[in-house]
Amino acid sequence: MEPEVTRKLEDDVSFVRQAVEERDKGEYKPLAIIVMWAVILAVGYALNDFAMDHVPLYWMTAPVAGFLVSLALGSREDRKRGLSRPGLGARHALHWGTIFLGGVAVIFIAGAHRFDGWVIAQLFALLTGVVFFLGGLHLDRRTLWPGVLLICGAAAVDHIQPWPWTIVGLATSLTLVASALWMKPKDEEADAAG
């Protein structure tokens, strides 16, 4: 090949590599967001087993507060890193906000068919698992496997004893944190070590 063509190919490959590295840097929001959601999920699902009276209030407030805190932490992290990607924050907000929109649909469907609280919780777990999984495919790979686990857990709670929701919640939360630590970008690992 001619030297000019070779140089052009090298420049193109370098550009693609840099674009992927930049995407990955911005993809991973602070670990605090993941840990917060792990706690929200673990506590909420444990309430399903041990304090059903508190479940509706918890699930109406904790995820909304977590969503707002996630937006604030993600925006602060982007500013700190000097990342400016118009539309990415809105895309994240719309994606994760579909849990709330889907939740409203679940409530209406459940009310129309007189589903009990157990089935409603399973539908919410399934919805959350699907949104986590799709988020893992398109936005943040850390939520892919926890999404798969939660989808399976939504069906498995009928077959797990003695505390099915607590087990599913803890397993999902641990998978979420483990996934976040395992998929941590190399530049963050170097920053933490140095």
Side-chain angles (χ1 to χ4, degrees), residues 171-186:
T172 303
S173 297
L174 291 173
T175 303
L176 190 58
V177 172
S179 182
L181 293 173
W182 180 49
M183 294 182 176
K184 192 174 189 179
K186 291 183 184 4

Side-chain angles (χ1 to χ4, degrees), residues 23-173:
R23 183 211 62 198
D24 285 349
K25 283 181 188 177
E27 179 177 296
Y28 297 96
K29 297 298 181 193
L31 184 60
I33 292 173
I34 295 294
V35 171
M36 177 188 64
W37 282 106
V39 170
I40 288 171
L41 291 172
V43 170
Y45 286 129
L47 287 175
N48 288 353
D49 284 332
F50 299 108
M52 277 301 280
D53 294 346
H54 301 291
V55 167
L57 179 62
Y58 180 84
W59 286 114
M60 285 189 301
T61 56
V64 172
F67 181 77
L68 296 173
V69 170
S70 295
L71 287 175
L73 289 174
S75 295
R76 189 182 82 190
E77 181 71 13
D78 281 353
R79 282 192 306 276
K80 184 173 105 179
R81 288 177 171 229
L83 298 173
S84 175
R85 294 165 304 180
L88 183 62
R91 194 168 74 215
H92 271 275
L94 286 171
H95 173 81
W96 299 108
T98 59
I99 293 175
F100 300 115
L101 181 61
V104 170
V106 166
I107 295 297
F108 280 109
I109 293 168
H113 295 280
R114 295 187 174 91
F115 292 162
D116 67 11
W118 186 272
V119 174
I120 294 169
Q122 284 180 286
L123 292 174
F124 271 103
L126 177 62
L127 169 68
T128 303
V130 169
V131 173
F132 268 51
F133 177 76
L134 292 174
L137 286 178
H138 303 294
L139 295 172
D140 184 340
R141 291 178 290 181
R142 298 177 299 181
T143 65
L144 184 81
W145 291 112
V148 169
L149 193 134
L150 198 48
I151 290 167
C152 296
V157 292
D158 290 325
H159 310 285
I160 299 172
Q161 291 300 325
W163 305 291
W165 286 109
T166 303
I167 291 167
V168 168
L170 286 174
T172 303
S173 297

